[in-house]
Amino acid sequence: MRREALATYFDSTAKQAWIDLTSDVKVSGIRATVRAGRQTMRDTLVSWLPRDLRRTRVLDAGCGTGALALDVACRGADVTAVDVAGGLVEVAKERATGFIGHGKVRWRAGDMLDPSHGTFAHVVAMDSLIHYSPEDLVDAIEGLSVRTAYSILFTFAPHTRLLGAMHSVGKVFPKSDRSPAIVPVSETELRARLGRLTDWKVGRTQRVSSGFYTSQALELVRRG
Ligand SMILES: C[S@@+](CC[C@H](N)C(=O)[O-])C[C@H]1O[C@@H](n2cnc3c(N)ncnc32)[C@H](O)[C@@H]1O
């Protein structure tokens, strides 16, 4: 249900805002802080991947308009970029026209959790799991983990007072008026839930806060 709600939201209500946010067009002060924070987050995640990604399969899970997929392809990776919002995937494809890099990107509209995408060395899910409950988030990571050889990099919305309050306020609105809420997750709870992935351990973690953008990256690494 959540996946369907997100597809509708990112393909209609939020589509233009998302296109603007992920481009160079001028945006309001608040959105500019979000854009800057997201750039820092993308750079952080990409820096956690090996420098040389030639002949390496990477999944950009919930690719949106595709910036991370292209960054990773520049390093030589063979990228599969998937998003349930088909309209955003079309934008990503257009933006990639003329891309000259060592790697390549296969753009797919659909569920990033679909096993038919194949197996990967690394999976990156930037801000694509922030709308899911902690249970669903960890179920999604577990599903991806069986098809991943080395690392899974994802972000979650850390449970800060402000996010917690916004989440509660959001619940007051009637369902039809709500955009899919960002679900704040406590790091302690998340680590406890991830404990069931016995072949994996938590590696690096990095919180990025920039104005209205707060997100935390976490690296899961397969035990050697
Ligand atoms: C906040 S946006 C982030 C997009 C992109 N990763 C970025 O950082 O620019 C979240 C994206 O995740 C996608 N998404 C959420 N759940 C998904 C799923 N199960 N399969 C594919 N895409 C999903 C949404 O459609 C949306 O485009």
Side-chain angles (χ1 to χ4, degrees):
M1 276 164 61
R2 185 114 284 230
R3 187 184 59 218
E4 298 317 317
L6 289 169
T8 309
Y9 175 69
F10 281 104
D11 254 346
S12 54
T13 328
K15 187 175 175 193
Q16 192 54 50
W18 201 252
I19 289 172
D20 292 349
L21 186 68
T22 58
S23 72
D24 292 335
V25 301
K26 202 168 166 12
V27 285
S28 70
I30 288 173
R31 288 190 182 183
T33 64
V34 174
R35 185 188 272 169
R38 286 177 35 76
Q39 171 80 50
T40 304
M41 178 56 86
R42 195 165 71 239
D43 293 347
T44 301
L45 292 169
V46 174
S47 77
W48 289 356
L49 292 169
R51 184 75 236 147
D52 184 357
L53 287 168
R54 283 174 296 174
R55 292 175 296 280
T56 305
R57 274 176 56 80
V58 176
L59 175 67
D60 181 356
C63 63
T65 53
L68 189 138
L70 289 184
D71 281 358
V72 175
C74 280
R75 299 254 198 103
D78 175 355
V79 185
T80 299
V82 186
D83 203 289
V84 73
L88 293 186
V89 177
E90 287 308 312
V91 174
K93 268 190 207 165
E94 269 166 41
R95 288 186 177 173
T97 311
F99 166 76
I100 304 170
H102 301 293
K104 61 175 180 209
V105 185
R106 273 183 216 96
W107 302 103
R108 297 270 181 274
D111 187 356
M112 62 196 184
L113 305 178
D114 184 342
S116 73
H117 299 307
T119 56
F120 298 92
H122 306 278
V123 170
V124 187
M126 174 168 155
D127 295 346
S128 40
L129 292 166
I130 57 174
H131 299 280
Y132 292 91
S133 67
E135 298 93 303
D136 287 349
L137 187 160
V138 175
D139 282 353
I141 296 292
E142 189 170 25
L144 291 168
S145 72
V146 295
R147 301 193 294 284
T148 309
Y150 299 111
S151 73
I152 302 175
L153 316 179
F154 68 97
T155 63
F156 63 97
H159 198 294
T160 61
R161 260 197 212 148
L162 179 63
L163 265 183
M166 280 164 60
H167 186 62
S168 324
V169 170
K171 283 187 173 161
V172 172
F173 292 109
K175 263 200 179 127
S176 54
D177 292 357
R178 279 187 231 155
S179 58
I182 292 174
V183 183
V185 178
S186 116
E187 184 175 349
T188 313
E189 182 189 348
L190 182 61
R191 282 176 181 265
R193 286 183 184 274
L194 289 169
R196 75 171 195 246
L197 306 188
T198 49
D199 292 341
W200 295 80
K201 61 176 187 234
V202 173
R204 289 166 277 196
T205 178
Q206 176 73 50
R207 184 177 295 190
V208 175
S209 292
S210 165
F212 273 65
Y213 179 79
T214 300
S215 188
Q216 185 162 338
L218 192 141
E219 177 189 44
L220 274 180
V221 188
R222 193 177 274 283
R223 291 181 191 276

